[in-house]
Amino acid sequence: MENNMINHIIIPTLGRMDNQVTYNSLPDKYKDITKFVVQTHEFAEMNKRYAGKVLELPSEINRIAPTREWIFNEFKDTRHIVFDDDLEFVVKEPNPESTPKWLSRKFTEKDFDDAFSLINNWMDEGIAFGGMLPVWVIPDISQWPIRENQRMMTNWFFDGPRIPRDLEWNRVQAAEDFDINLQLLTRGFKNRQSAKYMVTCSATNAPGGCSTWRTLEVHNEAQIMLQKLWPNFVKIREKEVTSGPWKGHIKLATTIQHKKAYESSQSNSLEEFFG
């Protein structure tokens, strides 16, 4: 891969050694640039399955927030993508026949080529981070095929050399992705997401991954911490869970004003410019 192309795909994974949905979805040429990141206790077995493709975390790291920090520090000088381990890839397009309104299909190899080429082009334009929208986001023809300055989940691309080195990755366990997004937006880094090239993932707290430690209490505490860190942009609401392991329980959900967070960086820049 050339220097101006995506150099690495990284998949942090836990408790799913024999259920690598994301990796199995990738064409072989993208598997060739993919690395798994695993905790110490899974390294030996995972390396038997994917020899030479597995990176071992330091023994003290056993949560996703410090894992994301470690991954960034390892790959910060490159253009890279970080995928959750349970993703499938879907193309969503408006239906020219009008009914149904949207057409969806699984990625072909050409779709992967087109999606990654698109991401590279965005980075060439100066977009330092972003990703692919999850399919549960309600389609909106006015925000297709691109959305900007919105929630980031399950997958991220980073133009590593452009990303600040002093981000605080590890201060909100179980909501670190929301926190990093807000840190970057409020510093003037616009995010961009594809609404055409999208991802599916498993239900919240499906077996494996963060479910090994993320209880409902841990989740709720993270939302409270996030709101305390970002009171101007984050509001908390209660929500009854309708599916998955937490079905029937009340969990805290956040409403995050991502565009307002980005706009705050622009108004601050103008104030500094005009003194």
Side-chain angles (χ1 to χ4, degrees):
M1 291 273 167
E2 298 173 2
N3 289 335
N4 65 339
M5 298 292 285
I6 294 166
N7 305 114
H8 303 282
I9 296 170
I10 303 105
I11 302 175
T13 184
L14 177 65
R16 294 169 178 157
M17 280 189 281
D18 296 314
N19 188 27
Q20 290 299 320
V21 176
T22 302
Y23 183 80
N24 291 336
S25 298
L26 296 172
D28 287 345
K29 64 185 175 184
Y30 294 113
K31 289 178 180 176
D32 290 343
I33 62 167
T34 298
K35 298 285 188 184
F36 297 99
V37 172
V38 304
Q39 293 180 22
T40 298
H41 68 279
E42 287 194 350
F43 176 74
E45 286 299 316
M46 191 68 175
N47 202 45
K48 288 180 184 177
R49 292 160 171 78
Y50 300 97
K53 290 180 172 289
V54 187
L55 302 178
E56 182 179 6
L57 288 163
S59 58
E60 68 272 15
I61 294 181
N62 58 8
R63 297 287 186 270
I64 189 59
T67 297
R68 294 196 189 284
E69 180 177 34
W70 186 88
I71 289 170
F72 180 76
N73 287 334
E74 285 290 306
F75 294 95
K76 63 181 182 293
D77 295 325
T78 71
R79 288 183 171 182
H80 60 277
I81 297 176
V82 183
F83 283 137
D84 284 4
D85 63 4
D86 57 351
L87 305 182
E88 295 182 299
F89 299 84
V90 174
V91 177
K92 187 175 286 288
E93 298 173 292
N95 186 356
E97 304 300 325
S98 76
T99 303
K101 190 173 182 179
W102 295 91
L103 298 176
S104 299
R105 59 178 172 80
K106 288 188 175 182
F107 271 37
T108 63
E109 182 166 327
K110 184 177 185 303
D111 292 320
F112 279 102
D113 292 343
D114 291 346
F116 292 152
S117 177
L118 179 66
I119 288 170
N120 275 309
N121 290 340
W122 290 350
M123 289 191 278
D124 288 343
E125 293 173 24
I127 301 297
F129 79 114
M132 305 179 198
L133 279 178
V135 295
W136 66 75
V137 176
I138 298 172
D140 179 352
I141 195 64
S142 70
Q143 296 187 78
W144 187 92
I146 289 172
R147 294 192 181 197
E148 291 187 336
N149 298 335
Q150 297 199 351
R151 182 173 295 220
M152 293 280 303
M153 297 179 69
T154 76
N155 71 103
W156 297 68
F157 70 78
F158 292 107
D159 193 354
R162 286 197 173 102
I163 300 295
R165 300 305 195 244
D166 60 345
L167 296 177
E168 296 186 67
W169 294 80
N170 196 21
R171 62 184 186 175
V172 188
Q173 302 299 316
E176 75 293 329
D177 44 2
F178 297 163
D179 184 32
I180 288 294
N181 194 10
L182 286 167
Q183 289 183 55
L184 287 166
L185 290 172
T186 54
R187 293 190 189 198
F189 292 88
K190 179 188 297 185
N191 78 39
R192 185 174 292 174
Q193 294 169 283
S194 175
K196 176 180 179 180
Y197 302 108
M198 306 182 77
V199 297
T200 69
C201 67
S202 54
T204 299
N205 248 37
C210 294
S211 70
T212 58
W213 55 271
R214 183 176 55 196
T215 64
L216 183 60
E217 291 73 25
V218 167
H219 167 87
N220 287 343
E221 287 171 6
Q223 311 314 302
I224 293 168
M225 171 67 77
L226 192 71
Q227 197 276 330
K228 287 180 178 178
L229 286 168
W230 302 103
N232 293 333
F233 310 122
V234 177
K235 295 181 180 177
I236 292 177
R237 66 187 189 279
E238 292 186 348
K239 178 180 179 181
E240 183 175 349
V241 183
T242 58
S243 62
W246 298 343
K247 182 177 180 180
H249 293 278
I250 299 296
K251 76 171 184 177
L252 298 182
T254 53
T255 299
I256 304 176
Q257 295 178 286
H258 297 94
K259 294 185 188 302
K260 182 180 176 183
Y262 177 72
E263 288 162 4
S264 74
S265 73
Q266 303 307 293
S267 60
N268 290 342
S269 297
L270 287 173
E271 289 170 8
E272 290 171 6
F273 179 78
F274 289 110

